Amino acid sequence: MGTKVSLTDLGDVMGYANPQGGASLSGVLEELQGLKISVCSGVATGGVGMTVSGIATDDVIIAAWELPTGSPTATTLVNRTASTYVSAANEVKCNEALDNASLFFVAWFDKNP
């Protein structure tokens, strides 16, 4: 088993507290702590709002997937990330129509955890 090292002990070697190129490791780790996940009901018509409690207009969606509930398999999951956006506080919209019998999985970074 390897030796565990505190991130603060890495110091400037890994850019923990002293960013090189504009981003520090500590900043990235703080942002990752804001990862949120929600599953809501899908809607058949594209562009209709779906409730995602806690999401804000300045948050960043990192993944949005349609999950069919009838007989989900790896081949029936649909990546809808590119067509999904935060339309208002607590609401996302997908520009593509979803199957009525589906769930909608959204993962996002909460910019103000």
Side-chain angles (χ1 to χ4, degrees), residues 38-92:
S38 183
V39 177
C40 56
S41 296
V43 293
T45 305
V48 174
M50 293 174 276
T51 301
V52 176
S53 297
I55 199 165
T57 55
D58 62 342
D59 291 342
V60 177
I61 293 176
I62 58 170
W65 285 79
E66 180 180 356
L67 312 171
T69 57
S71 56
T73 66
T75 58
T76 60
L77 303 177
V78 183
N79 185 345
R80 303 287 189 195
T81 306
S83 60
T84 302
Y85 60 97
V86 180
S87 53
N90 299 311
E91 182 181 273
V92 300

